[in-house]
């Protein structure tokens, strides 16, 4: 599972952070894009189940986008602003 983080202005997420939670509301992963226009976080230990991801606004939320991919397939994608986006990891 990969968290692909993008910033259109190429200066990082300016204080925005992502949080991934499981169906119990427990935080499984979190992070940010400190600098640059893209970076990928590898998540190797997520068990099968339902997950959500949200990204806080930061200073320039319109610059932020992201996707969750597994085996090249996009499982979820979105931007900043706190809206939760969900997906399922099967066995």
């Amino acid at each position: 599972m990969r968290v692909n983080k993008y910033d259109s202005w190429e200066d990082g997420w300016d204080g925005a952070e992502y949080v991934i939670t499981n169906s119990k509301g427990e935080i499984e992963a979190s992070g940010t894009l400190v600098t640059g226009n893209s970076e990928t976080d590898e998540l190797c230990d997520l068990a099968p189940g339902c997950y959500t991801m949200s990204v806080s606004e930061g200073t320039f939320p319109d610059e932020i986008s992201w996707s969750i991919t597994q085996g090249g397939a996009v499982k979820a994608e979105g931007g900043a602003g706190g809206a939760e986006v969900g997906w399922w990891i099967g066995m």
Side-chain angles (χ1 to χ4, degrees):
M1 185 75 49
R2 293 180 176 193
V3 179
N4 307 295
K5 304 168 289 181
Y6 308 104
D7 183 90
S8 64
W9 199 254
E10 301 183 3
D11 62 349
W13 278 6
D14 300 302
E17 297 180 320
Y18 75 82
V19 175
I20 295 175
T21 57
N22 62 27
S23 59
K24 297 176 185 176
E26 301 165 331
I27 295 174
E28 295 280 350
S30 62
T32 190
L33 176 59
V34 176
T35 188
N37 68 334
S38 67
E39 183 177 63
T40 299
D41 293 348
E42 295 279 345
L43 305 177
C44 299
D45 57 350
L46 293 179
C50 293
Y51 294 89
T52 60
M53 178 165 154
S54 64
V55 177
S56 60
E57 286 192 3
T59 307
F60 300 103
D62 292 342
E63 299 175 5
I64 295 171
S65 62
W66 57 269
S67 67
I68 302 287
T69 57
Q70 183 178 28
V74 176
K75 304 290 256 176
E77 59 190 346
E84 291 185 347
V85 177
W87 73 95
W88 166 259
I89 298 175
M91 296 187 99

